[in-house]
């Protein structure tokens, strides 16, 4: 079964001179950790935003677990997926607990069940002592961990994260990656973007490399490396396909 099916996506932002997505297509298997990889400006965040229904494509289609991402199915899809955006989406003046209660309520989780779930996750993410601290006083890594909790309170079958390990310290990164492995071991799919090839090579069962708004190559990291005798790791494969030109 495919969990995500993206077909011929085109997107040009208003006032942009160039299209961002130029006929992007790919399909992802169910229940795997998949990396959506590409250089800066490749269109990763735009793709994620379209998958989640936050941005509208000009043309093309998205299906999440066989449901089309359209007005009629947006709510049903929202319950199946958890979204961790690239920018922290928490209220800075509220505490971690207040933020997480707010997000839990959005998904219809309330009362004692919600409180227990929040406490369990705060502990799992090393934030139990900061439950009543305002988010604005959190470090970057703490904010990122709290942002992940906000996305998983409703136990989504597919967790989608945009650069969850960007700008966090080694300890936070290690905890986040370990969490993604465990979440996936419990049966959920994980789709995450990164530009760190070493990390993706270790974590992902499958990678989708995109550049300039279209698919470059997809496969298991080990298979992609094996296909290119001159490449010793995923970073070499990535450079082989995307070239050495610097990006803005
Ligand atoms: N809201 C927007 N308005 C105009 N252009 C945008 C917007 N968001 C992204 N872009 C452009 O689309 C391209 C791809 O961006 P993005 O999807 O963020 O790529 P990535 O996440 O791979 O770095 C970039 O050139 C960026 O400037
Ligand atoms: Mg991005």
């Amino acid at each position: 079964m495919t969990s995500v099916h993206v077909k011929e996506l085109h997107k040009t932002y208003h006032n942009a001179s160039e299209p961002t997505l130029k006929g992007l297509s790919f399909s992802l298997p169910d229940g795997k950790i998949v990396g959506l990889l590409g250089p800066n400006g490749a269109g990763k965040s735009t793709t994620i935003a379209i998958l989640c229904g936050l941005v509208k494509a000009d043309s093309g289609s998205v299906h999440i677990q066989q449901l089309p991402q359209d007005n009629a199915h947006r709510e049903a899809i929202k319950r199946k997926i958890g979204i961790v955006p690239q920018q922290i989406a928490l209220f800075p003046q509220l505490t971690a607990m207040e933020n997480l209660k707010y997000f839990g309520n959005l998904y219809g989780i309330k009362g004692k069940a919600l409180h227990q779930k929040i406490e369990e996750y705060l502990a799992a993410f090393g934030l139990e002592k900061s439950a009543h601290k305002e988010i604005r006083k959190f470090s970057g890594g703490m904010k990122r961990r709290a942002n992940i909790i906000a996305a998983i309170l409703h136990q989504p079958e597919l967790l989608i994260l945009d650069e969850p390990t960007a700008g966090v310290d080694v300890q936070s990164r290690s905890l986040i990656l370990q969490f993604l492995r465990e979440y996936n071991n419990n049966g959920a799919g994980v789709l995450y973007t990164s530009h760190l090839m070493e990390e993706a090579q270790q974590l992902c069962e499958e990678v989708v490399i995109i550049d300039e708004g279209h698919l470059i190559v997809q496969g298991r990291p080990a298979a992609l490396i094996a296909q290119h005798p001159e490449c010793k790791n995923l970073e070499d494969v990535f450079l082989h396909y995307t070239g050495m030109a610097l990006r803005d």
Side-chain angles (χ1 to χ4, degrees):
M1 206 160 89
T2 59
S3 66
V4 175
H5 186 63
V6 167
K7 198 168 165 200
E8 280 291 311
L9 284 186
H10 288 266
K11 174 70 186 178
T12 304
Y13 285 102
H14 292 297
N15 307 322
S17 53
E18 277 270 310
T20 289
L21 299 184
K22 306 172 192 167
L24 177 65
S25 302
F26 59 85
S27 290
L28 305 181
D30 230 359
K32 294 223 152 85
I33 303 191
V34 181
L36 178 62
L37 312 178
N40 273 344
K44 302 182 294 297
S45 294
T46 300
T47 305
I48 296 275
I50 293 172
L51 281 181
C52 300
L54 302 172
V55 165
K56 245 181 113 54
D58 301 331
S59 62
S61 66
V62 168
H63 286 76
I64 310 268
Q65 291 176 342
Q66 333 305 326
L67 298 179
Q69 180 55 282
D70 57 21
N71 287 336
H73 298 90
R74 184 154 308 130
E75 278 304 310
I77 290 177
K78 210 179 104 183
R79 284 193 293 276
K80 288 176 179 289
I81 64 178
I83 310 161
V84 183
Q86 192 166 1
Q87 305 295 335
I88 300 293
L90 299 168
F91 299 103
Q93 314 286 358
L94 299 184
T95 67
M97 181 61 84
E98 288 165 343
N99 266 283
L100 294 171
K101 283 197 166 151
Y102 173 83
F103 285 101
N105 288 338
L106 277 189
Y107 285 101
I109 320 165
K110 294 196 170 72
K112 210 168 167 206
L114 176 59
H115 197 86
Q116 273 176 0
K117 191 120 248 130
I118 292 174
E119 296 217 307
E120 178 194 321
Y121 279 133
L122 284 172
F125 281 88
L127 293 171
E128 66 272 47
K129 293 207 183 82
S130 310
H132 302 292
K133 202 161 148 180
E134 289 171 27
I135 293 293
R136 66 188 172 90
K137 294 180 182 153
F138 275 31
S139 71
M142 291 166 77
K143 284 181 190 162
R144 186 72 63 188
R145 284 179 268 148
N147 214 25
I148 294 176
I149 300 175
I152 55 173
L153 290 168
H154 63 299
Q155 304 286 288
E157 295 160 47
L158 174 65
L159 182 56
I160 301 177
L161 313 95
D162 197 0
E163 307 257 6
T165 56
V168 305
D169 67 14
V170 178
Q171 283 76 11
S172 275
R173 193 154 81 92
S174 162
L175 187 142
I176 290 169
L177 297 178
Q178 190 49 36
F179 163 76
L180 293 181
R181 282 194 193 93
E182 281 164 21
Y183 199 75
N184 172 251
N185 278 341
N186 291 330
V190 174
L191 173 64
Y192 101 114
T193 74
S194 180
H195 53 253
L196 302 172
M197 294 305 127
E198 200 185 320
E199 178 187 295
Q201 185 180 334
Q202 283 175 23
L203 186 70
C204 299
E205 294 167 271
E206 178 117 348
V207 295
V208 174
I209 299 179
I210 69 171
D211 198 10
E212 298 182 346
H214 49 79
L215 178 72
I216 302 295
V217 70
Q218 176 175 357
R220 289 186 302 113
L224 294 176
I225 296 163
Q227 278 164 24
H228 301 278
E230 74 283 12
C231 296
K232 60 184 185 307
N233 53 35
L234 190 61
E235 180 158 324
D236 290 345
V237 172
F238 184 81
L239 287 171
H240 168 85
Y241 282 110
T242 60
M244 300 296 281
L246 295 176
R247 312 304 170 96
D248 291 339

